[in-house]
């Protein structure tokens, strides 16, 4: 029998429920429990695949091809496990199921209502992962903030489950904020009290309160919160701001979040947590021996969450290289042929990000050209690889109007073309080439050195592909397809063997990088950037010396 932990949030959004849920899961996993996390999002989109990254940050893709909330990325990075379609549910999905059933006549003429039909469907989905007998504990994060109209059916579903299940099988962790008022020099508990009150008005009493705070809250305040919110004092957990999200599990362990949760779930026999690898990673992260500067070129760079998995992959790869990775966000729209050298001159590596549509692509192409010509380590992901292909076609092969049909549907030299299977699709959402596909790597290529094997599988999210009609021309001119899907012949990896490090991939390696398994492409990219940096620094000091002489 699985046990269930629900994580709700109060006072404000962006408190980091995903990180707290992932940290708790990590600690329980480290104590030997089989844990998974799922996220319930109260918006009406069926999935976040159709959401603009400005609205909701990156869209995370699972092995089985679900377009999901970026918190699933945190879960995978922390736990080193795969999540799936079942781990992310939205109000849209719930309603879609209920409405489809209604159309099929499944409700036998009854009036279909939020309670019980929507709440029943929510409860069914909340319990699905538990029926597999695979997990000891299932953590469910409820998106949004308590008090939002759209969260109500979810809170009601938890209330019903609390009533239906034995006490020791379900608990609720509520995450709140204790703001510090500078003028009064005081931490304020009132917003937390109100938020707990609102939750209890809906019939749900939290068992544990995790209090986000900039300043340590101390025992007096903990006691006050406990008293006014009806929880035990030991169950008031201080979550003080951390330097990195990867420190949060250790902070939560110090606060005994995991043991308090286990006690309430009436689980008594468990070992000390095994966190050796995690702590080694943190040590390397905190005390780097070198530093590289990587340019991240994209059109959503002003929004941190838009490239979440890429940024986290850099953290993992940096730690294993014992190297601080400073990421400089460069908006592709502001790069021109004239200013590219100035903008990229102090970089040790260039990553051109995934993306959609026309905006900013000229800047991306200029940046790729600069990296190719200067021997600057280059890593292109999805659209980034496609840009590298277009740049190479135009500037090396000499096909001046080479383009992608995504940006120019009339181009006569479509080196990037829409995939055949995509041409018939008119609906949006879940219709791209999504999820994991195998790829065969050419022996002796850079990709082969990086992966150390010739069979890989990676996750995808795209509509366009490299046009194989041009492959021979590319090879002749020095850019090779070093990874291909054998079944469909889709090109997965392009590289320039004569360049120190130039690789573009059609898939998204950033989705598979975890703390315990940093992605080899990122690891080697940072390694190449380190080498580039050493040369850059050496030639800089040589120039300085000759100027002095
Ligand atoms: N827009 C490109 C395509 O659909 C690239 C997608 C991406 O970068 N994820 O093929």
């Amino acid at each position: 029998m699985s046990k269930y932990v629900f994580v709700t949030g109060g006072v404000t959004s962006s408190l980091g429920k995903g990180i707290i849920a992932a940290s708790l899961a990590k600690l329980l996993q480290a104590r030997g429990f089989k844990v998974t996390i799922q996220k319930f999002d109260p918006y009406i989109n069926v999935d976040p695949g159709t959401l603009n990254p400005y609205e909701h940050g990156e869209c995370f893709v699972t092995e089985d091809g679900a377009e999901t909330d970026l918190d699933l990325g945190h879960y995978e990075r922390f736990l080193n496990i795969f999540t799936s379609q079942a781990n992310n549910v939205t109000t849209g999905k719930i309603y879609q199921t209920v409405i489809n059933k209604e159309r099929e006549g499944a409700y036998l003429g009854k009036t279909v209502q939020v309670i019980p039909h929507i709440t029943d469907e929510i409860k069914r989905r909340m319990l699905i992962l538990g029926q597999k007998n695979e997990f000891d504990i299932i953590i469910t994060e409820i998106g949004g903030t308590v008090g939002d109209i759209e969260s109500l059916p979810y809170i009601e579903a938890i209330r019903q489950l609390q009533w239906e299940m034995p006490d020791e099988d379900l608990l609720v962790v509520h995450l709140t904020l204790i703001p510090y008022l500078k003028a009064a020099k005081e931490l304020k508990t009132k917003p937390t009290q109100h938020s707990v009150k609102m939750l209890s008005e809906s019939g749900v009493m939290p068992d544990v309160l995790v209090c986000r705070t900039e300043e340590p809250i101390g025992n007096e305040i903990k006691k006050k919160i406990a008293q006014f919110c009806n929880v035990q004092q030991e169950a008031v957990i201080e979550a003080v701001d951390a330097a990195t999200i990867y420190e949060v599990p250790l902070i939560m362990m110090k606060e005994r979040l995991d043991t308090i949760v286990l006690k309430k779930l009436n689980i008594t026999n468990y070992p000390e947590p095994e966190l050796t690898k995690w702590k080694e990673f943190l040590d390397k992260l905190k005390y780097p021996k070198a530093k590289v500067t990587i340019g991240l070129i994209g059109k959503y760079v002003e929004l941190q969450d838009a490239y979440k998995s890429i940024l986290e992959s850099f953290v993992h790869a940096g730690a294993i290289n014992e190297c601080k990775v400073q990421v400089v966000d460069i908006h592709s729209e502001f790069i021109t042929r004239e200013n590219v050298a100035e903008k990229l001159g102090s970089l040790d590596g260039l990553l051109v990000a995934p993306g959609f549509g026309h905006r900013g692509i000229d800047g991306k192409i200029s940046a790729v050209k600069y990296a190719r010509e200067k021997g600057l380590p280059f890593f292109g992901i999805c659209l980034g690889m496609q840009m590298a292909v277009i740049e190479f076609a135009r500037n090396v092969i000499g096909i001046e109007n080479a383009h992608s049909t995504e940006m120019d549907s009339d181009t006569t030299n479509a080196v990037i073309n829409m995939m055949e299977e995509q041409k018939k699709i008119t609906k949006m959402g879940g219709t791209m080439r999504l999820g994991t596909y195998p790829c065969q790597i050419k022996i002796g290529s850079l990709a082969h050195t990086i992966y150390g094997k010739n069979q890989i599988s990676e996750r995808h999210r795209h509509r366009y592909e490299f046009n194989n009609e041009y492959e021979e021309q590319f090879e002749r001119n020095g850019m090779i397809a070093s990874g291909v899907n054998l079944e469909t012949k889709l090109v997965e990896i392009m590289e320039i063997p004569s360049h120190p490090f130039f690789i573009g991939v059609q898939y998204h390696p950033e989705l598979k990088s975890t703390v315990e398994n940093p992605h080899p492409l990122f690891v080697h990219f940072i390694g190449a950037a380190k080498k580039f940096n050493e040369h850059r620094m050496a030639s800089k000091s040589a120039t300085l010396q000759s100027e002095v002489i």
Side-chain angles (χ1 to χ4, degrees), residues 66-93:
E67 295 180 294
T68 70
D69 185 80
L70 58 79
D71 270 334
L72 269 76
H74 289 308
Y75 307 161
E76 293 202 359
R77 287 187 283 271
F78 273 55
L79 298 181
N80 203 30
I81 57 165
F82 291 153
T83 55
S84 70
Q85 190 94 37
N87 294 68
N88 194 195
V89 175
T90 67
T91 295
K93 251 185 207 153

Side-chain angles (χ1 to χ4, degrees), residues 10 22 27 34 67 163 236 260 355 436 469 490 522:
L27 294 175
K34 284 188 238 95
E67 295 180 294
W163 180 79
V236 179
I260 287 158
T436 288
E469 284 172 23
L490 287 184
F522 280 86

Side-chain angles (χ1 to χ4, degrees), residues 353-357 381-384 386 406-407 416 419 432 461-465 506 508:
F356 295 84
I381 299 184
C382 210
L383 184 70
Q386 298 175 355
E406 180 176 9
M407 288 90 195
I416 303 292
M419 283 180 278
M432 283 186 249
R461 183 172 188 250
H462 65 124
R463 292 193 180 91
Y464 296 82
E465 57 163 325
Q506 186 57 77
H508 291 266

